[in-house]
Amino acid sequence: MAALLRDILAELDRVLEPGRFDDYGPNGLQVPGREEVHTVATGVSAHAELFELAAHAPAQLVLVHHGLFWGSGPGPIDALLKRRLEILFDAGMSLAAYHLPLDAHPQLGNNALLAHALGAAELEPFAPHRHQPIGCIARLEPSLPARELFARVARVTERPPLVFDSGPAEVARLAVVSGAGNHYIAHALAAHADAFLTGEPTERVMAQAREGAIHYIAAGHHATETFGIRALGQHLAQRFPVRHLFLDVPNPV
């Protein structure tokens, strides 16, 4: 059993609507490979270790959240990029990437899935990126003791988060922006969130959390962005006669 690459890409574009987003890099097909796809391998970030695992599978399509190319174009090909491309070319594997569209999706997105995994009863759009919301405010009913929320984050992300425990004893409104969403703490404060969950911290957020009386939870860029890409691969396996493999290459960042 197999599916055509062009049909899979059309489905991804239909579901994720990448044209709505002014992203940091290109969404969609980044490297073409075989036209017929039997196995789709998903992973968070495009790099040599992931490609080697996918080639061993063997997969014909690698689908990632963080692609190879950022900005206006690939620019000069250095030794690192050359090696990554060689693995794809030698295996005949395609590479497709979906960044902000996968963060933002209300069912398959990193933020919605993370919020639901933590027990969210209701979500509202949050964190505008050039007029498109990419995060969510999760309403927790009943509210959770802050310590229980921190413990749940550790369980669902499979790693202990960095926490600035500066908010109320009970959390009813949780702002969620996966990955490098640390600058949205100001938006979380304006939205009257009790806690803000993201991937990475910056030096300034400790003081912002303390002065704003909000819990700041940094659960890892990689760890907060495994949810969407895995769900996207599962969606394709349900939609097409293909096998899906989620290939996790753990990253402590």
Side-chain angles (χ1 to χ4, degrees), residues 126 175 184-193 196 208-209 211-214:
F126 172 70
Y184 283 107
I185 186 173
H187 293 255
L189 290 168
H192 306 290
F196 176 55
Q208 288 177 294
E211 293 168 23
I214 189 172

Side-chain angles (χ1 to χ4, degrees), residues 19-40:
R20 294 193 297 114
F21 296 86
D22 185 3
D23 213 331
Y24 301 101
N27 288 293
L29 185 67
Q30 294 194 346
V31 178
R34 293 191 180 94
E35 182 58 29
E36 198 170 79
V37 176
H38 300 267
T39 297
V40 176

Side-chain angles (χ1 to χ4, degrees), residues 8 11-12 15 40-43 63 102 107-108 113 226-247:
I8 292 175
E11 173 67 5
L12 292 169
V15 170
V40 176
T42 58
L63 182 61
L102 190 56
Q107 285 82 42
L108 301 174
L113 290 170
T226 62
F227 299 86
I229 199 67
R230 188 198 304 254
L232 196 59
Q234 292 169 344
H235 171 80
L236 293 178
Q238 293 168 356
R239 178 71 176 78
F240 297 99
V242 297
R243 179 177 65 141
H244 166 237
L245 297 173
F246 175 65
L247 302 175

Side-chain angles (χ1 to χ4, degrees), residues 177-213:
V177 184
S178 64
N182 51 74
H183 56 287
Y184 283 107
I185 186 173
H187 293 255
L189 290 168
H192 306 290
D194 302 310
F196 176 55
L197 171 60
T198 188
E200 299 179 32
T202 53
E203 189 276 341
R204 65 181 179 273
V205 298
M206 182 185 72
Q208 288 177 294
R210 289 176 176 174
E211 293 168 23

Side-chain angles (χ1 to χ4, degrees), residues 63-197:
L63 182 61
V64 297
H65 181 50
H66 302 132
L68 282 180
F69 304 115
W70 300 93
S72 59
I77 297 177
D78 59 13
L80 185 150
L81 180 56
K82 176 177 180 287
R83 175 61 184 143
R84 293 172 174 180
L85 290 171
E86 282 177 338
I87 300 169
L88 292 171
F89 293 161
D90 290 347
M93 292 189 300
S94 302
L95 173 70
Y98 291 88
H99 186 230
L100 293 182
L102 190 56
D103 287 321
H105 197 274
Q107 285 82 42
L108 301 174
N110 288 313
N111 296 304
L113 290 170
L114 182 52
H116 285 308
L118 294 170
E122 188 176 307
L123 305 182
E124 61 185 76
F126 172 70
H129 173 81
R130 298 168 188 169
H131 309 296
Q132 285 292 338
I134 59 172
C136 62
I137 297 281
R139 189 157 57 99
L140 302 174
E141 290 186 352
S143 61
L144 281 179
R147 294 291 179 181
E148 171 60 20
L149 174 62
F150 305 154
R152 286 191 186 185
V153 170
R155 286 197 297 271
V156 302
T157 61
E158 300 181 353
R159 53 164 286 167
L162 170 68
V163 175
F164 296 125
D165 185 359
S166 303
E170 296 279 326
V171 176
R173 286 173 61 81
L174 170 66
V176 184
V177 184
S178 64
N182 51 74
H183 56 287
Y184 283 107
I185 186 173
H187 293 255
L189 290 168
H192 306 290
D194 302 310
F196 176 55
L197 171 60

